[in-house]
Amino acid sequence: MFVKLCGLRTESDVTVAVDAGADAVGFVLTDSPRRIDVGLARELVVGVPPHVLAVAVVRGITATEAGEMALKTGVRALQLHGDYPKEAFDELADLPLQLVRATALGPETDVRTGAFGEELLLIDSPVAGSGEQWDIARLADNPPTGHWVLAGGLSPETVAGAIGVARPWGVDVSSGIESSRGVKDHGRMREFVAAARG
């Protein structure tokens, strides 16, 4: 089970994520309680070993801006979160970055991983980063294909059950491993990774 811990903001967050066995870590570069600037992201990426995927997470900015920010941080992947069209992914295709398409599940959502040229597809709650649970049983009517990651309302307490229902390739968490909004709880980070793999 691929596990991504998102919204990391400190060196100790990164150390704990890596030690806990996370496959990927996310750094939020645009408007969010978890936002960090490009300079801090670049410093934190230095602490991410090669076997862990460092991901820049953006929403509400152009593909051009997103690509420029990601390249400055040294991450290996860029997550476009929200209603980005296929053209945005086409624009970024030549950059040396893995692309992640993060979207909520709607009636028109294309849930085939790679449909927009992305390497990973992330299906999130309609209110990203809110910690709100959503009806993942809806995925049964339109099951995603390929390397797709389930997000939205997951926590150490709920992740195993969610995996049982949705059968994702991976899982992603941010608010479910926090002690307060934007502040990671290192114990819950470890518990989440263990629960996802248990």
Side-chain angles (χ1 to χ4, degrees):
M1 179 60 54
F2 178 92
V3 179
K4 175 169 169 271
L5 303 183
C6 200
L8 307 190
R9 298 173 65 205
T10 68
E11 285 184 23
S12 57
D13 289 349
V14 173
T15 300
V16 170
V18 171
D19 289 349
D23 298 289
V25 292
F27 303 106
V28 181
L29 303 180
T30 51
D31 192 34
S32 160
R34 302 165 187 96
R35 180 181 189 167
I36 59 174
D37 64 33
V38 166
L40 178 55
R42 187 167 53 241
E43 291 173 24
L44 296 181
V45 167
V46 172
V48 180
H51 69 276
V52 176
L53 185 66
V55 184
V57 179
V58 302
R59 67 179 303 144
I61 63 173
T62 68
T64 300
E65 291 174 292
E68 289 171 355
M69 288 177 85
L71 291 174
K72 286 176 185 171
T73 64
V75 295
R76 290 174 31 227
L78 172 59
Q79 177 175 319
L80 298 182
H81 210 114
D83 297 323
Y84 282 92
K86 184 178 184 302
E87 289 75 18
F89 292 84
D90 292 343
E91 192 177 323
L92 297 167
D94 292 335
L95 296 184
L97 296 166
Q98 288 187 42
L99 298 178
V100 182
R101 173 167 61 106
T103 185
L105 186 67
E108 305 298 319
T109 306
D110 193 326
V111 292
R112 298 167 301 154
T113 302
F116 285 29
E118 76 280 8
E119 277 88 356
L120 280 179
L121 170 65
L122 188 146
I123 305 290
D124 199 0
S125 143
V127 188
S130 65
E132 288 181 14
Q133 293 190 321
W134 59 285
D135 182 12
I136 60 173
R138 289 167 45 212
L139 289 162
D141 299 327
N142 192 11
T145 60
H147 284 177
W148 76 278
V149 176
L150 178 67
L154 300 180
S155 69
E157 296 78 21
T158 64
V159 66
I163 289 169
V165 171
R167 301 286 177 200
W169 176 79
V171 288
D172 176 281
V173 67
S174 187
S175 58
I177 50 171
E178 292 179 343
S179 55
S180 61
R181 201 150 170 76
V183 179
K184 291 296 180 267
D185 179 312
H186 294 166
R188 288 181 68 76
M189 289 169 68
R190 293 186 184 95
E191 289 165 16
F192 184 89
V193 176
R197 300 239 169 87

